Amino acid sequence: MDHHRSRSPNSRYHDHHHSAHRRERGHSRRNNYDDGHLTHRRDQFDVKTEQNPLRSQTLSTRKDLYERDFPLYRQPVEVGSFSLDAQRRFFNDRRQMRYYVEPDKNPNFDLKDGYRDRYIRRDENVKEKLDHILRWILANKGTLKSKETTDSRALDYDFVTWRGHLTKLLTTPYETREGWQLAATKFNGTIYISEVETEAARVERENRPERNKEMMYWGYKFEQYTCADNVDSLPDPSGVVNTNEAFCTVVQTRLADHKLLFSGEVDCRDKDPSARPPACYVELKTSPEICTPKQRSNFHRFKLLKWWAQSFLPGVPRIVAGFKDHDGVVVSTETFLVSKVSQLIKNEFNCWKPTVCMNFCSDFLSFVKRIITENDHSLVYLFSWEPYRDVTYSLHRDSHYSFLPRWFIEGMSGSQESHH
Ligand code: 0WD
Ligand code: CA
């Protein structure tokens, strides 16, 4: 998976001409959301900073700027894992790991079953931010601390985040509907990135139609039909679906010159014990059944982009899709190899490109590194993006955006022996 990159440093950010009209369109609406805080947003006529990509205070998300050689992306290596139990309690072990049981090609799984009487839903009002990853880092800090620096507190990573946040970055050049906000804080030389729910996302979540709530359950129900709790047992569709439960892998890798540590939820693994993480992992998905060429094209253009980005990041090689009808019945299943997805979409006109996704992510991380000058656990650089606009940022000191908990700051500052 090692790819070499060659790039011209000047192609990294937008040029002035192309981005000017985009800014004008949305300028008034975005101007004052940040009342009372020090903001660093380029104003409309600030040509000087914009002409020099290494000084620009914003980052363009235009696809064509990221069409160059695929950047180096090192084979992701699992450095640990953790589990969240039925009460959402953290355990530094693999107790929630499940085993993949291949379904029939045409299984007729009823995904509606149990929604009313056997469903325990995670409380979405609880914002966990990076807490589970931070707990894992503290529990493993003895083996994680950098050997290369003299600072005994430093981790040998440039960035720590959730895999899902990186997925959002990968798909940004192609996203036309949902913006994002990512809070970033540098602590002991490592940049921690944690998502902040946008106003639009909160409104949508709080006004979710009943039908959508039920359809969210369908995805978890499909997991129950295809996963067993033990290597020698079978799935139990009569049980309760509890979305507090999770098994998460923690992987390290490198994107261009960024050393990354991130965690992602894994649905299940192959039963074959000779298969090693993350190559043994299987991602489960559901999607509406495909009946027309137009539906197939949309599936390739939109769904496969998100599926590819999510699984490529941690090196999960296989996606098993259940195609469901309007009535929530899985009528067919299909396995997608992540390494083959880009070939599958090659015939779509004007389709997404993996290299654009990866180069944008790499350039965003370079942008973040350049903007974050202060090492301060209570200072948040809030990066914001809305479709058809540039990425902007604002600064927030000791605000409600601060997300590194005291127990983490203190736990990481304590003596190296504290893991005994
Ligand atoms: O607080 C937040 N804003 C978030 C918290 C956003 C994203 C994730 N999380 C946390 C949760 O603790 C969750 O356990 O991350 C964990 C999953 O992280 P991830 O793997 O980085 O997230 P992502 O790749 O977006 O989602 C993987 C799976 C989803 O499966 P599908 O097949 O639908 O992509 O994790 C589940 C979901 O099953 N999931 C979540 N579970 C709990 N809380 C969340 C969430 N907010 N988002 C996705
Ligand atoms: Ca899944």
Side-chain angles (χ1 to χ4, degrees):
M1 215 189 282
D2 268 10
H3 302 265
H4 283 282
R5 61 180 181 145
S6 68
R7 68 184 193 189
S8 92
N10 293 327
S11 66
R12 286 203 278 176
Y13 307 108
H14 56 204
D15 67 73
H16 182 58
H17 301 285
H18 283 89
S19 54
H21 72 281
R22 293 169 194 275
R23 247 184 4 266
E24 280 158 25
R25 276 174 22 200
H27 205 255
S28 54
R29 193 165 70 78
R30 310 197 63 209
N31 237 345
N32 53 6
Y33 80 107
D34 205 17
D35 215 14
H37 294 284
L38 176 58
T39 68
H40 283 240
R41 191 164 301 115
R42 176 186 55 195
D43 86 42
Q44 220 158 315
F45 306 104
D46 191 359
V47 175
K48 269 204 193 83
T49 52
E50 207 169 358
Q51 279 174 337
N52 182 348
L54 297 175
R55 285 179 54 198
S56 178
Q57 296 293 305
T58 64
L59 177 68
S60 173
T61 62
R62 274 174 43 213
K63 306 186 249 304
D64 53 304
L65 295 174
Y66 303 97
E67 287 205 27
R68 48 179 197 264
D69 288 352
F70 202 86
L72 178 139
Y73 191 63
R74 211 176 266 167
Q75 184 82 57
V77 173
E78 181 175 85
V79 292
S81 56
F82 58 86
S83 295
L84 305 173
D85 74 358
Q87 287 88 48
R88 202 73 180 166
R89 289 177 303 196
F90 172 95
F91 293 91
N92 184 29
D93 59 36
R94 308 174 77 85
R95 69 182 67 191
Q96 293 289 348
M97 163 77 76
R98 293 178 298 176
Y99 296 84
Y100 176 61
V101 178
E102 193 180 322
D104 277 5
K105 272 246 159 288
N106 303 102
N108 280 312
F109 293 144
D110 180 6
L111 302 179
K112 300 184 302 305
D113 178 50
Y115 176 64
R116 304 251 163 243
D117 56 319
R118 302 192 322 278
Y119 183 23
I120 298 172
R121 234 170 81 181
R122 191 186 71 91
D123 181 355
E124 286 176 291
N125 293 308
V126 178
K127 296 287 174 243
E128 300 175 324
K129 297 172 268 195
L130 296 188
D131 288 3
H132 299 306
I133 300 179
L134 303 181
R135 241 178 258 290
W136 181 87
I137 290 175
L138 267 192
N140 296 278
K141 69 173 181 170
T143 53
L144 278 177
K145 290 277 166 83
S146 173
K147 289 154 220 104
E148 279 169 36
T149 68
T150 47
D151 184 351
S152 64
R153 293 162 305 179
L155 293 179
D156 195 19
Y157 299 106
D158 297 315
F159 294 96
V160 168
T161 192
W162 281 108
R163 175 271 307 275
H165 302 358
L166 295 173
T167 307
K168 286 199 177 172
L169 289 170
L170 259 63
T171 58
T172 293
Y174 299 104
E175 179 62 47
T176 58
R177 300 202 307 225
E178 289 168 10
W180 46 250
Q181 290 198 308
L182 294 171
T185 291
K186 184 144 95 176
F187 170 62
N188 283 350
T190 295
I191 295 170
Y192 296 79
I193 298 180
S194 178
E195 186 176 32
V196 175
E197 187 177 49
T198 62
E199 274 303 293
R202 186 184 56 78
V203 168
E204 190 162 308
R205 176 170 60 82
E206 286 172 356
N207 297 285
R208 209 175 270 150
E210 176 53 33
R211 165 89 178 167
N212 292 37
K213 288 186 192 164
E214 179 159 2
M215 287 177 72
M216 286 176 70
Y217 169 80
W218 293 0
Y220 296 106
K221 187 66 188 177
F222 181 60
E223 294 175 9
Q224 197 190 48
Y225 278 112
T226 47
C227 296
D229 285 343
N230 304 99
V231 68
D232 48 9
S233 64
L234 289 173
D236 175 18
S238 72
V240 169
V241 169
N242 184 330
T243 58
N244 288 298
E245 297 177 31
F247 170 77
C248 294
T249 179
V250 183
V251 304
Q252 70 173 30
T253 183
R254 185 188 180 105
L255 171 57
D257 56 356
H258 311 299
K259 291 182 194 170
L260 313 179
L261 181 77
F262 59 83
S263 175
E265 193 173 323
V266 170
D267 293 325
C268 56
R269 64 157 291 159
D270 194 301
K271 281 183 175 175
D272 180 353
S274 68
R276 299 273 165 229
C280 62
Y281 292 143
V282 179
E283 173 63 36
L284 302 171
K285 293 286 184 204
T286 63
S287 195
E289 66 176 317
I290 295 165
C291 303
T292 68
K294 178 74 183 165
Q295 287 169 342
R296 175 162 308 274
S297 173
N298 282 336
F299 173 75
H300 287 164
R301 301 173 75 85
F302 306 109
K303 208 49 103 51
L304 276 185
L305 163 60
K306 297 206 165 157
W307 292 5
W308 172 82
Q310 183 188 41
S311 288
F312 178 77
L313 279 164
V316 172
R318 258 197 301 172
I319 302 168
V320 174
F323 292 99
K324 65 204 177 194
D325 65 15
H326 277 289
D327 208 22
V329 174
V330 174
V331 291
S332 65
T333 60
E334 194 175 334
T335 296
F336 294 91
L337 294 181
V338 174
S339 60
K340 297 275 163 66
V341 166
S342 62
Q343 278 144 266
L344 213 69
I345 60 161
K346 283 241 158 74
N347 291 329
E348 295 295 338
F349 175 69
N350 208 1
C351 203
W352 58 275
K353 295 188 179 78
T355 198
V356 169
C357 302
M358 297 304 282
N359 281 316
F360 173 73
C361 184
S362 172
D363 284 8
F364 173 77
L365 297 177
S366 300
F367 177 66
V368 170
K369 273 184 183 170
R370 179 165 60 81
I371 296 301
I372 302 193
T373 50
E374 267 192 76
N375 194 75
D376 175 347
H377 62 82
S378 63
L379 177 60
V380 162
Y381 294 76
L382 183 67
F383 293 86
S384 306
W385 178 73
E386 289 295 332
Y388 307 111
R389 307 228 201 320
D390 294 346
V391 178
T392 61
Y393 73 96
S394 53
L395 264 58
H396 307 266
R397 213 176 280 277
D398 299 311
S399 73
H400 64 281
Y401 289 114
S402 295
F403 62 87
L404 292 178
R406 183 130 304 274
W407 53 259
F408 180 69
I409 305 299
E410 284 169 1
M412 291 299 280
S413 308
S415 87
Q416 271 182 295
E417 312 310 316
S418 59
H419 60 276
H420 288 302

